[in-house]
Structure formats: structure tokens, C-alpha cells
Amino acid sequence: MNFLIASSTEDLCELLAEDPSRQLLAGGTDFMVEVNFRHRDVSEVIAIDRIEELKQWRHDGDSVLIGSCVTYREIERGALSTLIPALAQSARTIGSPQIRNTGTIGGNLATASPAGDMIPVLLALGALVNVRSRSGVRQLQVDELITGVKTNSLREDEFIESVRVPVLRGPQEFLKVGPRNAMVISVSSLAMVTDIDREYIGIALGSVSASPCRSTDAEYFISENIDWNRMTVRSGAIENFERLVRESANPIDDHRSSSAYRTHTIGVLGRRALLRIFRLES
């Protein structure tokens, strides 16, 4: 296997333009598992974890621009966790400390696993993914980037450069279900974000569909039953809201869970997240 090291994004563009089949390697927490189990045959690898601009993030007014090689550990702590709390919550649930020290937000997106924990948060927030090649930069929504189970719409010579995430004024929650409390792949997960200024609520689901899934019917319904000034929700709306969340899911049976259990738990997560953010109307 030939091992190449990219020193800048311009260098990376040229290396991919020369041979688009080259595999990018940052944290390698998903890629190396596939290589070790012989699920992937790779002849050339480009290491991108030394490109400084991909390892940085900055707060630009009403949004945060996060380089694709920013690690889960950096997202879960410090200033970034205050700006985007749901993203920090999801980062804390990913793997072991060793995984969080090396795994990256760009890798989570590019792998495109239905169980990718950051994906529901980014979808609910309306994040935009900047993808780059020698031809220029394209901007994609999360559900435009991820097209199915471990498939994405990146062109052969493109890579994920950064993610622009809105900074909203309002509570956020990320919840997941698994067979234990830590170091576990999600059986189901849910992100709920709010924007008090726009009276907006965003809900996205994980592990219950082949590609990223918004619960738009549940969003529209519950927004009509929220008092944004008092941050309360009508108690009579909870049951129908939970039903709408369940109906948004399209899960499968696999070795980790049945579709029936996933459908049940995603409704429970929706209720829990809602009642963590809003008080019941008295």
C-alpha cells in the first residue's frame, strides 16, 4: 500500500485529481476496521490529519465553520460544546476516549452510516457541508450528501472540507438507545433543536432509516402547540406528537434490533427530548 501525506487542501486536491481512487485517512476509526476485516482493498492512502486548516474551527457570527478533521473530543468540550450543545452531546456518546481523540466530524459524515451519531444533529440544525475538489467548492445539505446506507454523493475527486453549523438560541437535545450506556452503536437516536428567535423546532432521527430522516410532520404539529414565551407545550399534544415521530421512521430488522423496537424507542426519545426542553402547560 502506498501512503501519501497531504500538506494542504491544495495539495490534497491535486493528489485526488491525479488518482480519485486514493482513500482518504484522518482518524481511521471506520476505515481501518474495514481494512482489518478485509472488507476493503486499498492500494493508496492519503493522510489528511496533518492539514492544519481542516483541524480548525471558527465562530462566524450566527454560525460555526468546523473543519472536517476536527475531532469528537474537541467538539464535546470547551467553547464549541457551548455553541452547539446537541453536537457535543452526540460526540460524548461515540465510542471510547481513544475513538473520540481520533475520530472526526468529516469521517462521521463521509462514512454515511445510518447510526452515525452526529448526522441527526447536523440535519436538525440545517448544517451545510462544504465539499471541495480542484474544480472548486460545492455546498450540500446533509441529506443531499448522504444518499443511502454508507453511500454519499461525493464525486470521485471531492473531499469534505468543512461543515457550517448554525448557532441557535434555544435548548437542544441528543438522545440515543443502545444495549448499554457507553461505547455502543445506536439502536435509535434523535436530535431536537430549537430557535427561540424564529420559534423553530427541528427534529431528526438516526438508525431508523437508510439515509438521514427529518420528522417534519411532528415538527409542524408540535410547533402549533408550543408557547414560546413560556417555553411550555400542551399536555394533550404529547401522544399525537409521539405517534408522528414514530411514523417518520422506516427501520429494518437486523442483528442489533427489530424494526418494532426501533419504532417504539424513537417515539420514546421524541417524548423525552420534548419534555426536557419544554415544560408541560399547567
Side-chain angles (χ1 to χ4, degrees):
M1 180 186 298
N2 293 326
F3 189 82
L4 308 172
I5 299 174
S7 58
S8 66
T9 53
E10 290 77 13
D11 186 27
L12 179 54
C13 287
E14 293 303 320
L15 290 171
L16 283 175
E18 290 173 6
D19 185 354
S21 69
R22 289 167 172 165
Q23 171 66 48
L24 303 188
L25 177 64
T29 56
D30 290 305
F31 168 68
M32 290 309 301
V33 172
E34 295 186 356
V35 171
N36 289 337
F37 280 94
R38 302 182 186 278
H39 294 160
R40 189 185 296 213
D41 184 20
V42 180
S43 59
E44 288 197 320
V45 170
I46 307 173
I48 63 172
D49 60 335
R50 303 182 197 185
I51 301 177
E52 283 301 318
E53 55 207 283
L54 299 185
K55 297 161 63 177
Q56 307 298 321
W57 68 270
R58 67 176 186 266
H59 185 191
D60 291 337
D62 59 358
S63 67
V64 173
L65 187 68
I66 306 174
S68 60
C69 287
V70 171
T71 64
Y72 304 141
R73 180 178 176 82
E74 186 161 5
I75 291 170
E76 70 174 306
R77 297 167 181 252
L80 196 48
S81 67
T82 303
L83 292 167
I84 318 173
L87 198 62
Q89 290 172 12
S90 69
R92 294 185 193 111
T93 72
I94 297 175
S96 64
Q98 294 92 333
I99 293 293
R100 295 197 297 277
N101 281 335
T102 58
T104 64
I105 186 171
N108 204 241
L109 283 165
T111 299
S113 168
D117 286 327
M118 288 190 168
I119 293 169
V121 179
L122 295 171
L123 181 61
L125 285 165
L128 295 173
V129 184
N130 297 311
V131 300
R132 184 173 174 180
S133 69
R134 191 165 62 176
S135 302
V137 177
R138 290 195 299 147
Q139 202 168 64
L140 302 173
Q141 295 180 358
V142 173
D143 53 358
E144 292 175 327
L145 172 70
I146 300 173
T147 55
V149 178
K150 296 191 175 182
T151 60
N152 61 56
S153 60
L154 289 173
R155 295 167 184 162
E156 282 191 333
D157 60 344
E158 284 183 328
F159 64 94
I160 296 174
E161 182 177 44
S162 59
V163 187
R164 184 166 292 281
V165 187
V167 175
L168 307 182
R169 192 174 71 89
Q172 303 178 3
E173 289 289 338
F174 173 80
L175 302 170
K176 68 189 277 187
V177 170
R180 58 188 183 189
N181 290 331
M183 295 177 63
V184 64
I185 298 174
S186 297
V187 167
S188 63
S189 64
L190 179 141
M192 183 178 294
V193 302
T194 60
D195 184 347
I196 295 172
D197 298 321
R198 292 191 296 138
E199 298 187 351
Y200 164 83
I201 182 167
I203 304 165
L205 318 179
S207 291
V208 292
S209 59
S211 55
C213 171
R214 284 283 292 268
S215 188
T216 52
D217 287 344
E219 291 172 1
Y220 294 145
F221 169 76
I222 204 62
S223 64
E224 296 177 350
N225 290 275
I226 290 171
D227 185 327
W228 288 95
N229 293 320
R230 299 169 58 199
M231 291 300 286
T232 59
V233 59
R234 293 175 188 163
S235 58
I238 303 298
E239 185 175 343
N240 194 41
F241 169 75
E242 188 173 342
R243 177 184 62 81
L244 290 171
V245 172
R246 288 197 304 267
E247 290 178 354
S248 303
N250 184 27
I252 62 169
D253 295 312
D254 64 13
H255 64 284
R256 288 189 290 113
S257 177
S258 67
S259 61
Y261 182 69
R262 284 190 166 102
T263 300
H264 168 72
T265 57
I266 203 67
V268 172
L269 293 183
R271 175 192 288 259
R272 287 180 183 174
L274 187 71
L275 295 181
R276 288 186 182 187
I277 292 175
F278 300 98
R279 294 178 294 108
L280 280 177
E281 190 176 72
S282 57

